[in-house]
Amino acid sequence: MLKEITHLYIFNSKHHYNYCIHYFRPEQVSKTSCLILQGKKSFSISKLDQLNRAFNKANGLEALISCNEIYLISSQIALDTELDELKDILSADDEIKSFSFIVGPRSGTISPWSSKTEDIIKNVGVADIDRVERFYGFDIPLFNKDSNLDLSMFFDRMTQSIYPNLDNCVDFLHVDEQRSVNIIDIIANGKGALVSANKTFGFALSEDEIHYLFNFYSAENRNPTDAELMMFAQANSEHCRHKIFNADWIVDEVKVKNSLFDLIKVTSKNSPNGIISAYKDNAAVTKGKEVERLHQDEKNLYSLQSELLNSTIKVETHNHPTAISPYPGAATGSGGEIRDEGATGRGSKPKAGLCGFSVSN
């Protein structure tokens, strides 16, 4: 954790170490340097056109928007010798142009892109990186920072923030002191305390969930913390509700014989032919046939050999799992597919995937 930043070096197109910003915090003597690089265009032509039309419609303008990725890289040492390698890895350069505003992850958060990219950079031999993060620099001609323009189409307010300039982006290096948890006093204030906390902290709890939590903590004779309620809110989100598949169902005061999961399994029980494995891993294995595969032997010579090739099949029934980040969409679905199929049995190799969309009228 950074206690003090004595120097912060910003690179730009004309002068390395163009200016130096000082932040002082006690009990720290090391120097942290921050390198900023500009990357490729942020969006496809169609996506940028979509943003352009949304912005102009919302604000009654006819502006033409452009956007580039910006990378902020922090290290305990100056990154002079690694500069060329970092530029090559990120397909970026140090010619930074001016931007109307910048969109990036909210302060205090680490994006999935960041953690993956840090691993890649360290794995190729650049070991002195403390943090790398991606921002989006938007440029809108004649943009007035003081005007009250609608910029909501450019960022996800749940996970991102708008930064006026590059100086503000360095707030990522500020690590706030860990705050204490908040106690939701249901013992003194009843269920209303949960209802109020639900709105204040954005737990997105349903009325049934609030009722359940109130009964549980009342029986335990203790108050919940905001951390507990946030964990419950996410653990009980769509992604994790598979637990209700095995729940008991009572319809018209009569307990139903089969759970939802039992009903799902009925299909394979009635038609078992060709099924090698089902409901034992996160994907099923179906019987295949003899096919010719390109085989590499110990001498690195290739030849076609006949081999029995079985298939794995699975389904992802949801998109992004939580209320924290609802917009990345099917990223969880595609990633879950590859992970679960590859981990089935002794392991398989992803070959092809099918994606089906089910939409309302």
Side-chain angles (χ1 to χ4, degrees), residues 207-240:
E207 186 175 340
D208 288 342
E209 290 169 333
I210 291 174
H211 181 71
Y212 169 83
L213 287 168
F214 178 72
N215 288 340
F216 173 81
Y217 284 105
S218 296
E220 291 289 315
N221 195 31
R222 73 175 180 89
N223 291 318
T225 66
D226 58 341
E228 288 178 291
L229 296 179
M230 178 57 80
M231 287 294 290
F232 176 87
Q234 300 313 314
N236 205 36
S237 67
E238 177 208 346
H239 191 105
C240 299

Short mmCIF file of all heavy atoms in Angstrom, two decimals, residues 207-240:
data_model
loop_
_atom_site.label_atom_id
_atom_site.label_comp_id
_atom_site.label_asym_id
_atom_site.label_seq_id
_atom_site.Cartn_x
_atom_site.Cartn_y
_atom_site.Cartn_z
N GLU A 207 -37.94 -7.35 -1.95
CA GLU A 207 -38.73 -7.30 -0.71
C GLU A 207 -38.65 -8.63 0.03
O GLU A 207 -38.56 -8.66 1.27
CB GLU A 207 -40.19 -6.94 -1.04
CG GLU A 207 -41.06 -6.72 0.19
CD GLU A 207 -42.46 -6.27 -0.17
OE1 GLU A 207 -42.65 -5.78 -1.31
OE2 GLU A 207 -43.36 -6.41 0.68
N ASP A 208 -38.69 -9.73 -0.69
CA ASP A 208 -38.59 -11.05 -0.07
C ASP A 208 -37.24 -11.23 0.62
O ASP A 208 -37.15 -11.82 1.71
CB ASP A 208 -38.78 -12.16 -1.11
CG ASP A 208 -40.23 -12.27 -1.56
OD1 ASP A 208 -41.11 -11.74 -0.85
OD2 ASP A 208 -40.48 -12.87 -2.62
N GLU A 209 -36.18 -10.76 -0.03
CA GLU A 209 -34.84 -10.89 0.55
C GLU A 209 -34.70 -10.04 1.81
O GLU A 209 -34.07 -10.46 2.79
CB GLU A 209 -33.79 -10.50 -0.49
CG GLU A 209 -33.66 -11.51 -1.62
CD GLU A 209 -32.82 -11.01 -2.78
OE1 GLU A 209 -32.75 -9.77 -2.98
OE2 GLU A 209 -32.24 -11.85 -3.48
N ILE A 210 -35.27 -8.84 1.79
CA ILE A 210 -35.24 -7.99 2.98
C ILE A 210 -35.98 -8.67 4.13
O ILE A 210 -35.50 -8.68 5.28
CB ILE A 210 -35.85 -6.61 2.67
CG1 ILE A 210 -34.94 -5.83 1.71
CG2 ILE A 210 -36.08 -5.81 3.95
CD1 ILE A 210 -35.52 -4.53 1.23
N HIS A 211 -37.12 -9.25 3.82
CA HIS A 211 -37.91 -9.96 4.83
C HIS A 211 -37.11 -11.15 5.39
O HIS A 211 -37.08 -11.37 6.61
CB HIS A 211 -39.22 -10.45 4.23
CG HIS A 211 -40.12 -11.16 5.20
ND1 HIS A 211 -40.78 -10.51 6.21
CD2 HIS A 211 -40.45 -12.49 5.30
CE1 HIS A 211 -41.49 -11.40 6.92
NE2 HIS A 211 -41.29 -12.60 6.38
N TYR A 212 -36.46 -11.88 4.51
CA TYR A 212 -35.65 -13.03 4.93
C TYR A 212 -34.51 -12.59 5.84
O TYR A 212 -34.27 -13.20 6.90
CB TYR A 212 -35.10 -13.75 3.70
CG TYR A 212 -34.04 -14.79 4.01
CD1 TYR A 212 -34.38 -16.07 4.40
CD2 TYR A 212 -32.69 -14.47 3.90
CE1 TYR A 212 -33.41 -17.02 4.69
CE2 TYR A 212 -31.70 -15.40 4.19
CZ TYR A 212 -32.06 -16.68 4.59
OH TYR A 212 -31.10 -17.60 4.88
N LEU A 213 -33.80 -11.54 5.44
CA LEU A 213 -32.65 -11.07 6.23
C LEU A 213 -33.09 -10.54 7.59
O LEU A 213 -32.43 -10.77 8.61
CB LEU A 213 -31.91 -9.98 5.46
CG LEU A 213 -31.09 -10.48 4.25
CD1 LEU A 213 -30.65 -9.31 3.39
CD2 LEU A 213 -29.88 -11.28 4.72
N PHE A 214 -34.21 -9.82 7.59
CA PHE A 214 -34.71 -9.28 8.86
C PHE A 214 -35.05 -10.41 9.83
O PHE A 214 -34.67 -10.37 11.02
CB PHE A 214 -35.93 -8.41 8.63
CG PHE A 214 -36.53 -7.86 9.90
CD1 PHE A 214 -35.89 -6.85 10.61
CD2 PHE A 214 -37.72 -8.37 10.40
CE1 PHE A 214 -36.42 -6.36 11.79
CE2 PHE A 214 -38.27 -7.89 11.58
CZ PHE A 214 -37.61 -6.88 12.27
N ASN A 215 -35.70 -11.45 9.34
CA ASN A 215 -36.04 -12.58 10.20
C ASN A 215 -34.79 -13.30 10.70
O ASN A 215 -34.70 -13.71 11.86
CB ASN A 215 -36.94 -13.57 9.46
CG ASN A 215 -38.35 -13.03 9.26
OD1 ASN A 215 -38.78 -12.10 9.97
ND2 ASN A 215 -39.07 -13.58 8.31
N PHE A 216 -33.81 -13.45 9.82
CA PHE A 216 -32.59 -14.16 10.20
C PHE A 216 -31.83 -13.41 11.29
O PHE A 216 -31.47 -13.99 12.32
CB PHE A 216 -31.69 -14.35 8.97
CG PHE A 216 -30.33 -14.91 9.31
CD1 PHE A 216 -30.16 -16.27 9.51
CD2 PHE A 216 -29.22 -14.07 9.44
CE1 PHE A 216 -28.92 -16.79 9.83
CE2 PHE A 216 -27.99 -14.59 9.77
CZ PHE A 216 -27.82 -15.95 9.96
N TYR A 217 -31.56 -12.12 11.07
CA TYR A 217 -30.77 -11.36 12.05
C TYR A 217 -31.55 -11.10 13.34
O TYR A 217 -30.96 -11.00 14.41
CB TYR A 217 -30.29 -10.05 11.43
CG TYR A 217 -29.13 -10.25 10.47
CD1 TYR A 217 -29.33 -10.17 9.09
CD2 TYR A 217 -27.86 -10.53 10.94
CE1 TYR A 217 -28.28 -10.38 8.22
CE2 TYR A 217 -26.81 -10.73 10.08
CZ TYR A 217 -27.01 -10.66 8.72
OH TYR A 217 -25.97 -10.86 7.86
N SER A 218 -32.87 -11.04 13.22
CA SER A 218 -33.68 -10.91 14.43
C SER A 218 -33.56 -12.17 15.28
O SER A 218 -33.43 -12.10 16.51
CB SER A 218 -35.14 -10.65 14.07
OG SER A 218 -35.29 -9.40 13.39
N ALA A 219 -33.57 -13.33 14.62
CA ALA A 219 -33.42 -14.59 15.35
C ALA A 219 -32.03 -14.71 15.96
O ALA A 219 -31.86 -15.27 17.06
CB ALA A 219 -33.69 -15.76 14.42
N GLU A 220 -31.04 -14.17 15.28
CA GLU A 220 -29.67 -14.19 15.79
C GLU A 220 -29.44 -13.12 16.85
O GLU A 220 -28.42 -13.11 17.53
CB GLU A 220 -28.67 -13.98 14.64
CG GLU A 220 -28.59 -15.12 13.65
CD GLU A 220 -27.90 -16.34 14.24
OE1 GLU A 220 -26.85 -16.18 14.89
OE2 GLU A 220 -28.44 -17.46 14.07
N ASN A 221 -30.38 -12.19 16.94
CA ASN A 221 -30.31 -11.08 17.89
C ASN A 221 -29.04 -10.25 17.71
O ASN A 221 -28.34 -9.91 18.67
CB ASN A 221 -30.40 -11.57 19.34
CG ASN A 221 -30.69 -10.42 20.31
OD1 ASN A 221 -31.36 -9.44 19.96
ND2 ASN A 221 -30.18 -10.52 21.53
N ARG A 222 -28.73 -9.94 16.47
CA ARG A 222 -27.59 -9.06 16.19
C ARG A 222 -27.86 -8.27 14.93
O ARG A 222 -28.74 -8.62 14.12
CB ARG A 222 -26.30 -9.85 16.06
CG ARG A 222 -26.16 -10.68 14.77
CD ARG A 222 -24.77 -11.30 14.71
NE ARG A 222 -24.55 -12.09 13.52
CZ ARG A 222 -24.08 -11.60 12.36
NH1 ARG A 222 -23.81 -10.30 12.26
NH2 ARG A 222 -23.88 -12.40 11.32
N ASN A 223 -27.10 -7.20 14.76
CA ASN A 223 -27.24 -6.33 13.59
C ASN A 223 -26.28 -6.75 12.48
O ASN A 223 -25.13 -7.13 12.75
CB ASN A 223 -26.97 -4.88 13.96
CG ASN A 223 -28.05 -4.29 14.85
OD1 ASN A 223 -29.23 -4.52 14.62
ND2 ASN A 223 -27.66 -3.53 15.87
N PRO A 224 -26.71 -6.67 11.23
CA PRO A 224 -25.80 -6.97 10.12
C PRO A 224 -24.91 -5.77 9.81
O PRO A 224 -25.23 -4.63 10.17
CB PRO A 224 -26.75 -7.25 8.96
CG PRO A 224 -27.95 -6.40 9.26
CD PRO A 224 -28.08 -6.40 10.76
N THR A 225 -23.80 -6.03 9.11
CA THR A 225 -22.95 -4.95 8.59
C THR A 225 -23.24 -4.74 7.12
O THR A 225 -23.83 -5.62 6.45
CB THR A 225 -21.46 -5.29 8.76
OG1 THR A 225 -21.15 -6.42 7.91
CG2 THR A 225 -21.14 -5.64 10.22
N ASP A 226 -22.82 -3.61 6.60
CA ASP A 226 -23.02 -3.36 5.17
C ASP A 226 -22.23 -4.36 4.33
O ASP A 226 -22.65 -4.74 3.24
CB ASP A 226 -22.64 -1.92 4.81
CG ASP A 226 -21.19 -1.59 5.16
OD1 ASP A 226 -20.60 -2.31 5.99
OD2 ASP A 226 -20.67 -0.60 4.62
N ALA A 227 -21.08 -4.83 4.84
CA ALA A 227 -20.28 -5.80 4.10
C ALA A 227 -21.03 -7.13 3.97
O ALA A 227 -21.04 -7.76 2.90
CB ALA A 227 -18.93 -6.02 4.79
N GLU A 228 -21.68 -7.56 5.06
CA GLU A 228 -22.45 -8.80 5.01
C GLU A 228 -23.59 -8.71 4.02
O GLU A 228 -23.86 -9.64 3.25
CB GLU A 228 -23.01 -9.10 6.40
CG GLU A 228 -21.99 -9.57 7.42
CD GLU A 228 -22.63 -9.78 8.78
OE1 GLU A 228 -23.04 -8.80 9.42
OE2 GLU A 228 -22.75 -10.95 9.18
N LEU A 229 -24.28 -7.57 4.04
CA LEU A 229 -25.43 -7.42 3.15
C LEU A 229 -25.00 -7.35 1.69
O LEU A 229 -25.70 -7.87 0.81
CB LEU A 229 -26.22 -6.16 3.54
CG LEU A 229 -26.86 -6.21 4.94
CD1 LEU A 229 -27.61 -4.91 5.23
CD2 LEU A 229 -27.81 -7.40 5.07
N MET A 230 -23.85 -6.73 1.42
CA MET A 230 -23.36 -6.68 0.05
C MET A 230 -22.98 -8.08 -0.42
O MET A 230 -23.25 -8.48 -1.57
CB MET A 230 -22.16 -5.74 -0.08
CG MET A 230 -21.56 -5.68 -1.48
SD MET A 230 -22.75 -5.18 -2.76
CE MET A 230 -22.77 -3.40 -2.52
N MET A 231 -22.35 -8.85 0.45
CA MET A 231 -22.00 -10.23 0.09
C MET A 231 -23.26 -11.05 -0.20
O MET A 231 -23.31 -11.82 -1.15
CB MET A 231 -21.20 -10.88 1.22
CG MET A 231 -19.77 -10.37 1.34
SD MET A 231 -18.77 -10.82 -0.09
CE MET A 231 -18.63 -12.58 0.16
N PHE A 232 -24.28 -10.86 0.63
CA PHE A 232 -25.54 -11.59 0.41
C PHE A 232 -26.17 -11.17 -0.92
O PHE A 232 -26.65 -12.00 -1.69
CB PHE A 232 -26.52 -11.32 1.55
CG PHE A 232 -27.87 -11.96 1.35
CD1 PHE A 232 -28.10 -13.27 1.75
CD2 PHE A 232 -28.90 -11.27 0.73
CE1 PHE A 232 -29.33 -13.87 1.54
CE2 PHE A 232 -30.14 -11.86 0.53
CZ PHE A 232 -30.35 -13.17 0.93
N ALA A 233 -26.15 -9.85 -1.18
CA ALA A 233 -26.77 -9.35 -2.40
C ALA A 233 -26.13 -9.96 -3.64
O ALA A 233 -26.81 -10.30 -4.60
CB ALA A 233 -26.67 -7.82 -2.45
N GLN A 234 -24.79 -10.12 -3.62
CA GLN A 234 -24.11 -10.67 -4.78
C GLN A 234 -24.19 -12.20 -4.82
O GLN A 234 -24.34 -12.79 -5.87
CB GLN A 234 -22.65 -10.21 -4.81
CG GLN A 234 -22.49 -8.70 -4.86
CD GLN A 234 -23.38 -8.07 -5.91
OE1 GLN A 234 -23.45 -8.55 -7.04
NE2 GLN A 234 -24.06 -6.99 -5.56
N ALA A 235 -24.09 -12.83 -3.64
CA ALA A 235 -24.17 -14.29 -3.60
C ALA A 235 -25.55 -14.77 -4.03
O ALA A 235 -25.70 -15.88 -4.55
CB ALA A 235 -23.86 -14.80 -2.20
N ASN A 236 -26.56 -13.94 -3.83
CA ASN A 236 -27.91 -14.32 -4.20
C ASN A 236 -28.32 -13.71 -5.53
O ASN A 236 -29.49 -13.61 -5.85
CB ASN A 236 -28.90 -13.88 -3.10
CG ASN A 236 -30.16 -14.74 -3.11
OD1 ASN A 236 -30.09 -15.92 -3.37
ND2 ASN A 236 -31.30 -14.13 -2.84
N SER A 237 -27.34 -13.27 -6.31
CA SER A 237 -27.65 -12.71 -7.62
C SER A 237 -27.98 -13.84 -8.59
O SER A 237 -27.90 -15.01 -8.26
CB SER A 237 -26.46 -11.89 -8.14
OG SER A 237 -25.37 -12.75 -8.42
N GLU A 238 -28.29 -13.47 -9.80
CA GLU A 238 -28.72 -14.45 -10.79
C GLU A 238 -27.68 -15.55 -11.00
O GLU A 238 -28.00 -16.71 -11.15
CB GLU A 238 -28.99 -13.73 -12.11
CG GLU A 238 -29.36 -14.68 -13.25
CD GLU A 238 -28.96 -14.13 -14.60
OE1 GLU A 238 -28.66 -12.94 -14.70
OE2 GLU A 238 -28.96 -14.92 -15.55
N HIS A 239 -26.42 -15.18 -10.98
CA HIS A 239 -25.35 -16.13 -11.28
C HIS A 239 -25.36 -17.31 -10.30
O HIS A 239 -25.05 -18.43 -10.68
CB HIS A 239 -24.00 -15.42 -11.21
CG HIS A 239 -22.87 -16.23 -11.75
ND1 HIS A 239 -22.30 -15.99 -12.97
CD2 HIS A 239 -22.22 -17.31 -11.26
CE1 HIS A 239 -21.34 -16.88 -13.19
NE2 HIS A 239 -21.27 -17.69 -12.18
N CYS A 240 -25.66 -17.03 -9.06
CA CYS A 240 -25.52 -18.05 -8.02
C CYS A 240 -26.85 -18.68 -7.61
O CYS A 240 -26.89 -19.42 -6.63
CB CYS A 240 -24.84 -17.45 -6.80
SG CYS A 240 -23.18 -16.84 -7.14
#
